[in-house]
């Protein structure tokens, strides 16, 4: 097992790390000295130097931050609710419901993405249903407007065409503060809906297994003490699910930071790079622009972000015991 992991996992990672330090177009052998060694220039170009490369990387980060911030809580909350529903002992057709909720998770992501393209097109089923209640739906995959800026503009708080000077005059990594805070685009929101619908079933099964592992004696003792359902959920169920919650959040965070196939099928960054993500940017930089060094650098920056966020999640969800009192 160690040999297999080393050959097919560790060795490719080390090779990719070496490539991230090169200016390599993929036409030569990067391990024979034919590619130019540039050190950390690929990382500096992405993080510190003004230019199109840093602007695109910042745009991809912004899009992915909103994608993670919305997808992870929604899919985790929905999965927990579904698990609580199908865990009811008196519920009829529990097996059929579990299969129904889990079915989207085992369906090909490419096939589901294609179906969503038809559902959310300008004359698709979603806009047809909205028209029945008098709502004119947008052209979802061609709408690059930020949802938050559009909402604030509709309320008259902010003019999207003329953002406040404080937000427009200051920038970070080539993007103005207004662009960072404008929210996910309408097109990105459709990808978020797709991700939540297709992943909640898998996490539901994980939560369901953990719920069934809670001792029934503990629940019965709490019921004898007069604990209602809300108190049972808060003081017994959720604390027992803490390790599983950490697992689900970690898996969800890693998967959402690595989102690629849905973006590839549903827009490849369009419209206006509002669905661009670091994973897809790494691919397009390497294989479309033949800049494999910078593509590898994007991948390793993404790896560092995932490790940092996972560590923060572990710290936030750690067991907190009572503080020992000070002896006087």
């Amino acid at each position: 097992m160690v040999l297999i992991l080393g050959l097919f996992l560790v060795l490719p990672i080390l090779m990719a790390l070496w490539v991230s330090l090169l200016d390599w177009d993929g036409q030569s052998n990067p391990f024979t000295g034919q590619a130019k060694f540039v050190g950390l220039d690929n990382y500096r170009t992405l993080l510190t130097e003004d230019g199109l490369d840093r602007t695109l990387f910042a745009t991809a980060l912004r899009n992915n931050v909103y994608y993670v911030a919305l997808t992870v809580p929604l899919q985790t909350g929905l999965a927990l609710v579904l698990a609580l529903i199908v865990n009811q002992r008196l519920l009829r057709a529990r097996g059929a419901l579990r299969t129904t909720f889990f079915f989207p998770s085992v369906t090909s992501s490419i096939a589901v993405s294609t179906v969503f393209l038809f559902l959310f097109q300008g004359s698709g089923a979603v806009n047809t249903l909205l028209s029945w209640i008098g709502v004119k739906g947008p052209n979802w995959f061609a709408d690059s407007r930020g949802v938050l800026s559009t909402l604030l503009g509709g309320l008259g708080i902010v003019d999207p065409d003329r953002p406040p000077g404080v937000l427009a005059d200051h920038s970070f990594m080539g993007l103005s503060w207004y662009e960072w805070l404008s929210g996910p685009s309408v097109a990105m929101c459709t990808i978020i809906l797709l991700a939540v619908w297709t992943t909640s079933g898998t996490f539901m099964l994980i939560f369901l297994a953990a719920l069934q592992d809670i001792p029934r004696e503990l629940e019965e003792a709490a019921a004898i003490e007069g604990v209602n359902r809300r108190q049972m959920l808060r003081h017994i169920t959720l604390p027992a699910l803490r390790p599983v919650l950490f697992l689900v959040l970690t898996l969800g965070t890693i998967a959402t930071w690595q989102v690629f196939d849905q973006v590839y099928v549903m827009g490849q960054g369009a419209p206006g790079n509002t669905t661009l993500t670091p994973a897809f940017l790494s691919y397009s930089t390497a294989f479309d622009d033949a800049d494999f060094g910078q593509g590898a650098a994007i991948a390793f920056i993404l790896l560092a972000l995932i490790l940092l966020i996972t560590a923060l999640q572990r710290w936030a969800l750690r067991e907190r015991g009572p503080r020992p009192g000070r002896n006087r």
Side-chain angles (χ1 to χ4, degrees):
M1 182 182 297
V2 173
L3 290 176
I4 292 175
L5 290 177
L7 181 61
F8 293 102
L9 183 63
V10 178
L11 183 59
I13 291 175
L14 295 177
M15 294 169 65
L17 181 61
W18 171 251
V19 169
S20 72
L21 305 176
L22 304 176
D23 181 10
W24 184 50
D25 59 1
Q27 301 300 317
S28 60
N29 190 336
F31 306 105
T32 59
Q34 299 178 12
K36 181 181 178 182
F37 180 81
V38 295
L40 298 177
D41 284 353
N42 289 322
Y43 295 91
R44 280 194 290 266
T45 300
L46 293 169
L47 299 176
T48 62
E49 295 182 5
D50 293 334
L52 180 60
D53 293 332
R54 189 179 72 161
T55 301
L56 284 176
F57 183 61
T59 302
L61 281 180
R62 178 202 62 186
N63 298 337
N64 219 144
V65 165
Y66 282 113
Y67 181 82
V68 173
L70 291 175
T71 303
V72 174
L74 288 175
Q75 69 185 10
T76 303
L78 179 59
L80 179 58
V81 170
L82 293 178
L84 291 172
I85 291 174
V86 299
N87 192 47
Q88 300 296 320
R89 298 183 179 89
L90 300 180
L91 180 67
R92 294 182 178 180
R94 287 189 299 170
L97 287 176
R98 294 173 184 176
T99 303
T100 302
F101 294 151
F102 182 66
F103 183 74
S105 299
V106 297
T107 307
S108 168
S109 60
I110 304 300
V112 175
S113 300
T114 304
V115 171
F116 264 64
L117 283 173
F118 285 102
L119 291 177
F120 283 90
Q121 60 181 336
S123 58
V126 173
N127 282 350
T128 301
L129 292 175
L130 291 176
S131 65
W132 292 353
I133 57 176
V135 177
K136 183 180 180 180
N139 191 359
W140 298 88
F141 292 107
D143 199 331
S144 61
R145 295 175 299 166
V147 173
L148 183 58
S149 61
T150 302
L151 178 60
L152 294 178
L155 296 176
I157 300 175
V158 175
D159 185 358
D161 297 325
R162 295 181 179 179
V166 176
L167 299 179
D169 297 339
H170 296 79
S171 64
F172 176 68
M173 293 184 66
L175 295 182
S176 67
W177 289 3
Y178 179 75
E179 290 176 307
W180 280 101
L181 300 175
S182 60
S185 66
V186 176
M188 178 59 80
C189 288
T190 59
I191 301 179
I192 292 173
L193 290 175
L194 168 65
V196 172
W197 185 69
T198 55
T199 56
S200 298
T202 300
F203 295 139
M204 176 203 71
L205 289 185
I206 297 176
F207 278 127
L208 181 61
L211 287 172
Q212 294 180 347
D213 196 44
I214 298 176
R216 294 187 59 181
E217 295 80 5
L218 186 61
E219 297 178 353
E220 292 173 355
I224 293 175
E225 294 294 331
V227 174
N228 56 38
R229 287 190 174 184
R230 182 178 300 178
Q231 293 172 332
M232 181 85 71
L233 177 65
R234 178 180 177 183
H235 298 289
I236 295 177
T237 305
L238 291 181
L241 294 178
R242 184 189 297 270
V244 177
L245 181 62
F246 170 73
L247 173 64
V248 169
L249 290 175
T250 300
L251 294 177
T253 300
I254 293 174
T256 49
W257 272 109
Q258 294 178 339
V259 59
F260 173 83
D261 44 357
Q262 295 93 336
V263 174
Y264 183 84
V265 174
M266 302 175 75
Q268 300 188 8
N273 291 325
T274 57
T275 60
L276 185 66
T277 61
F280 182 78
L281 180 62
S282 175
Y283 164 82
S284 62
T285 300
F287 293 96
D288 294 339
D289 301 336
D291 191 349
F292 287 86
Q294 192 171 101
I298 294 173
F300 277 97
I301 294 175
L302 182 60
L303 173 63
L305 281 173
I306 291 174
L307 293 177
L308 176 61
I309 294 172
T310 302
L312 291 176
Q313 285 182 339
R314 183 178 181 84
W315 175 82
L317 295 175
R318 70 190 188 281
E319 293 287 347
R320 293 178 175 85
R323 295 183 178 179
R326 296 179 59 184
N327 295 327
R328 296 184 179 179

